[in-house]
Amino acid sequence: MNGQSPMGLAAAAAAAVRPCRHRLLSSATTAAAATSTTATPLFPRCPHPYHHTHGRRLPFLVSAASQHASQTGPATNPSPIPGSVPPADPRAAVSGNLPFFDRVLFPDTFPLETPSAKEDATAEAAAQVDEDAAPAAPVREESDTEREAWRLLRRAVVSYCGEPVGTVAAEDPECTETLNYDQVFIRDFVPSALAFLMRGETEIVRNFLLHTLQLQSWEKTVDCYSPGQGLMPASFKIRTVPLDDNNEGFEEVLDPDFGESAIGRVAPVDSGLWWIILLRAYCKITGDYALQERVDVQTGIKLILSLCLTDGFDMFPTLLVTDGSCMIDRRMGIHGHPLEIQALFYSALRCSREMLVMNDGSKNLIRAINNRLSALSFHIREYYWVDMKKINEIYRYKTEEYSHDATNKFNIYPEQIPSWLVDWIPEKGGYLIGNLQPAHMDFRFFSLGNLWAITSSLTTPKQAEGILSLIEEKWDDLVANMPLKICYPAMEDDEWRIITGSDPKNTPWSYHNGGSWPTLLWQFTLACIKMGRPELARRAIAVAEEKLSDDKWPEYYDTRSGRFIGKQSRSYQTWTIAGFLTSKMLLENPELASILTCDEDLELLEGCACCLSKRSRCSRRMIKSKVVG
């Protein structure tokens, strides 16, 4: 780190990006600028429009023509244009060639071997015989719905300085009131980024990661108060502004929104967590590990972690946040320790631990990450999990217990068990509740938090299986006519009026209050692949594919069974489109799920970060025995 503090490095990086703007100048200004000395740009660009993909190219990014050229001599045709469809089908990456794909993703586990000339000749002869005898495996042709989705996704791409940097939230040509749907949201872009990565189009993702990094910690304020150092914006917009008062020239600038323009003025907690998760996915699929080792990228990761790991008044290892700080960005009674934030927090910690460069400056941070991971995993698995057995235990809780050995540690009153849960919880399976605070358990089922807890291994394998079993058992409630309910059940009547403030958009079974969001499909697919249940994902995708195109790719669906298009839903919502494409590609190439998932780490269960290992209720050995058993 050359003796510089993270704050200083962040300031230097931010200062370096400011001049990196694409200027639209008059002819006189352009002529004058041509004679001046040009500074080295922060993001170097090739002078030729044909760029090479950053990092190591995956086998399915190499066309048959380029493979032939590598054997016969230098290539005569240029590389494909970034953002265009690669000549090779990405599905060929893993179709009948899984070991080679593993060599690309996990090179350290496959030592290089140099075969002898005799072995090489024998192998070539055998390969030629096999090639002549067996026809090539047929490649599935994209459906009309998939082709339309790709066309719409590319239409949503926006450029900055002549390079693609993201996708807008929605691109509806029939809608005249854009609001903030014409901005690039960090959380919304994740499924788009994954679709482009699996397609082999990596430049847009790399640009997005670096440009959003330079927007980190701008001094945007609400009522003269600045957000914490390391905060990532919720979104950004590309604006064209004049260079001077005479309007002789213009420049493009990135204008971030940290929540000071959002409804409720709430800063996004999940943006930085999603950014870390996407960074790991990009590096794993491209092999561009040099990107994550850059000083500015390492500094960005550390700033996000420092913001999340800052000591405060909270006694729990979970992250304390306000209402509206995640995908549910309106008042919905999820303030405190919502499951969605905890699952993303855990995943971001796991990803950061992989990517941080080990040195004297990062040892303490990595130690803090390990301690937090250990405490967080225990806390969620032990106190957020409910099934029939646990609900029976809560039903018989004693209250007002004052001791270290209390069973009812959070003073939960049995009367909090809602009437709908008594008949809804199945005999087999369970789920993680939506929130936990003193004297309060939010028993609602939140899809994103439960699915991402499976993906990141925040749950035990048995709990992960239980969540999918519950979804299968309660299919008509959680999937029905359109996957997937953002939460279940909806708040109604006085509960809705009190908790949401009579929010006219979050009426019962609409929007965040029990609405169905097709973008959750890709996370459901990811969880199903991780747990070896792809048939559930196929079933859900089939339900969505039947309606999405005809309904113009809406943002969300209303009613208890998801039959109606949302009353205020945007059409051609980008993350609906990208979520569908990502789901289809993950099912065809299940090995690609490894860029996002984390396996169980038994070392996290060995020690107790809160020094209570001698107490039976807080023993990691107890949890580990459940995992191993």
Side-chain angles (χ1 to χ4, degrees):
M1 303 287 289
N2 298 325
Q4 294 190 37
S5 65
M7 303 278 284
L9 289 170
V17 76
R18 301 297 183 264
C20 183
R21 294 165 178 164
H22 180 61
R23 300 189 174 185
L24 310 174
L25 305 177
S26 64
S27 57
T29 309
T30 305
T35 61
S36 63
T37 304
T38 58
T40 303
L42 185 63
F43 306 112
R45 307 180 186 88
C46 299
H48 198 275
Y50 299 113
H51 295 58
H52 286 290
T53 307
H54 293 284
R56 184 169 46 199
R57 302 190 69 187
L58 294 178
F60 57 85
L61 306 185
V62 185
S63 65
S66 62
Q67 290 176 354
H68 176 72
S70 65
Q71 297 173 0
T72 58
T76 56
N77 296 325
S79 303
I81 300 175
S84 64
V85 180
D89 195 318
R91 289 173 292 278
V94 294
S95 180
N97 197 25
L98 299 184
F100 183 55
F101 183 79
D102 288 339
R103 288 176 184 274
V104 177
L105 278 185
F106 313 107
D108 296 337
T109 61
F110 291 88
L112 297 177
E113 298 178 358
T114 305
S116 63
K118 183 178 180 180
E119 290 176 346
D120 197 25
T122 304
E124 285 187 12
Q128 185 63 41
V129 171
D130 291 341
E131 189 175 326
D132 295 339
V139 177
R140 187 188 69 81
E141 184 178 354
E142 287 183 339
S143 64
D144 292 339
T145 304
E146 290 173 83
R147 283 193 288 269
E148 179 193 11
W150 274 113
R151 178 178 60 81
L152 294 172
L153 182 59
R154 297 185 191 286
R155 188 178 73 179
V157 172
V158 294
S159 297
Y160 170 67
C161 299
E163 296 179 335
V165 293
T167 53
V168 293
E171 182 68 27
D172 185 0
E174 300 176 1
C175 184
T176 57
E177 190 179 14
T178 59
L179 298 179
N180 60 349
Y181 284 84
D182 61 345
Q183 298 187 26
V184 180
F185 284 81
I186 289 185
R187 89 169 63 91
D188 291 36
F189 180 68
V190 172
S192 298
L194 297 175
F196 284 124
L197 285 175
M198 290 188 285
R199 190 83 166 187
E201 303 170 27
T202 62
E203 182 189 31
I204 184 174
V205 183
R206 189 178 198 272
N207 292 339
F208 172 85
L209 289 168
L210 290 175
H211 280 296
T212 50
L213 175 65
Q214 305 311 316
L215 298 177
Q216 185 183 36
S217 302
W218 265 36
E219 293 183 359
K220 290 299 187 79
T221 64
V222 176
D223 294 338
C224 306
Y225 185 78
S226 300
Q229 187 80 8
L231 181 69
M232 279 288 190
S235 62
F236 65 85
K237 186 173 182 177
I238 299 170
R239 300 185 186 276
T240 302
V241 298
L243 281 171
D244 48 45
D245 296 336
N246 298 325
N247 293 333
E248 294 183 356
F250 298 84
E251 63 181 351
E252 289 182 348
V253 297
L254 296 178
D255 184 16
D257 178 14
F258 290 91
E260 74 279 357
S261 301
I263 295 175
R265 303 301 189 266
V266 177
V269 177
D270 61 341
S271 291
L273 308 178
W274 278 121
W275 185 86
I276 291 175
I277 293 169
L278 180 59
L279 173 65
R280 172 184 182 252
Y282 167 85
C283 294
K284 284 179 72 70
I285 201 170
T286 63
D288 184 14
Y289 293 104
L291 178 68
Q292 71 185 36
E293 295 172 0
R294 286 175 39 157
V295 173
D296 55 342
V297 175
Q298 288 284 307
T299 302
I301 296 173
K302 292 176 182 178
L303 286 173
I304 296 172
L305 294 179
S306 297
L307 187 62
C308 295
L309 295 172
T310 299
D311 294 332
F313 290 101
D314 197 19
M315 294 291 292
F316 307 138
T318 43
L319 205 57
L320 179 64
V321 300
T322 59
D323 222 341
S325 59
C326 53
M327 178 180 175
I328 299 177
D329 56 3
R330 299 168 76 94
R331 181 177 169 187
M332 270 285 289
I334 63 167
H335 55 280
H337 307 87
L339 176 64
E340 176 180 334
I341 290 294
Q342 314 316 320
L344 293 173
F345 181 38
Y346 183 84
S347 181
L349 290 177
R350 292 286 304 269
C351 295
S352 299
R353 192 174 62 163
E354 288 184 22
M355 295 186 294
L356 284 174
V357 176
M358 177 63 79
N359 52 42
D360 293 338
S362 62
K363 286 181 180 179
N364 290 336
L365 180 58
I366 293 176
R367 186 181 300 110
I369 290 173
N370 287 329
N371 290 340
R372 194 63 168 266
L373 284 170
S374 178
L376 182 60
S377 63
F378 175 80
H379 187 84
I380 297 294
R381 293 176 178 190
E382 182 71 5
Y383 303 123
Y384 276 62
W385 177 256
V386 293
D387 53 13
M388 181 60 79
K389 179 181 177 182
K390 185 62 177 291
I391 293 175
N392 266 285
E393 181 183 330
I394 296 173
Y395 182 71
R396 296 172 58 84
Y397 266 169
K398 295 179 181 180
T399 58
E400 313 301 327
E401 291 184 300
Y402 181 81
S403 69
H404 291 296
D405 299 325
T407 301
N408 187 1
K409 286 182 167 53
F410 299 93
N411 200 34
I412 304 299
Y413 296 96
E415 289 76 12
Q416 288 189 29
I417 300 176
S419 57
W420 63 265
L421 182 62
V422 175
D423 297 322
W424 191 76
I425 190 76
E427 289 293 333
K428 294 183 179 180
Y431 65 101
L432 298 174
I433 62 172
N435 209 331
L436 174 65
Q437 299 184 75
H440 173 69
M441 294 183 76
D442 187 343
F443 286 96
R444 285 177 291 176
F445 176 91
F446 288 86
S447 295
L448 193 152
N450 274 275
L451 295 175
W452 209 256
I454 295 174
T455 300
S456 63
S457 290
L458 178 55
T459 60
T460 67
K462 185 177 181 181
Q463 289 173 345
E465 292 172 2
I467 294 171
L468 293 184
S469 296
L470 179 136
I471 293 175
E472 184 178 23
E473 178 74 17
K474 299 299 177 181
W475 191 268
D476 292 341
D477 292 329
L478 301 176
V479 179
N481 293 283
M482 179 56 62
L484 197 64
K485 281 279 178 239
I486 191 171
C487 71
Y488 181 91
M491 293 182 292
E492 300 179 284
D493 303 325
D494 288 340
E495 184 184 28
W496 165 74
R497 280 188 285 271
I498 294 171
I499 294 181
T500 73
S502 299
D503 188 345
K505 196 168 185 177
N506 273 333
T507 53
W509 305 108
S510 178
Y511 203 47
H512 300 136
N513 190 15
S516 299
W517 292 70
T519 187
L520 294 173
L521 190 61
W522 73 269
Q523 299 178 68
F524 179 58
T525 303
L526 193 64
C528 290
I529 291 174
K530 185 174 186 290
M531 298 308 299
R533 300 287 302 276
E535 72 282 354
L536 283 180
R538 291 191 185 94
R539 182 181 171 189
I541 291 173
V543 171
E545 190 166 11
E546 186 177 344
K547 297 178 61 178
L548 285 178
S549 179
D550 293 339
D551 293 345
K552 298 182 180 179
W553 306 92
E555 181 182 12
Y556 63 95
Y557 286 76
D558 284 352
T559 73
R560 182 185 290 265
S561 60
R563 294 189 63 188
F564 292 172
I565 298 174
K567 58 188 174 186
Q568 296 187 42
S569 173
R570 292 290 168 133
S571 297
Y572 304 106
Q573 187 79 12
T574 303
W575 70 349
T576 296
I577 298 166
F580 168 75
L581 288 173
T582 300
S583 300
K584 297 282 283 190
M585 298 171 78
L586 282 171
L587 268 186
E588 293 175 26
N589 308 311
E591 291 73 21
L592 291 177
S594 64
I595 67 174
L596 291 161
T597 58
C598 297
D599 294 329
E600 177 72 287
D601 187 349
L602 295 180
E603 291 184 3
L604 292 176
L605 309 178
E606 289 289 346
C608 181
C610 54
C611 302
L612 297 175
S613 58
K614 294 182 180 180
R615 299 175 189 166
S616 60
R617 298 293 297 174
C618 194
S619 173
R620 295 309 194 275
R621 298 187 184 93
M622 176 180 65
I623 298 297
K624 185 178 180 181
S625 65
K626 293 180 181 180
V627 174
V628 176

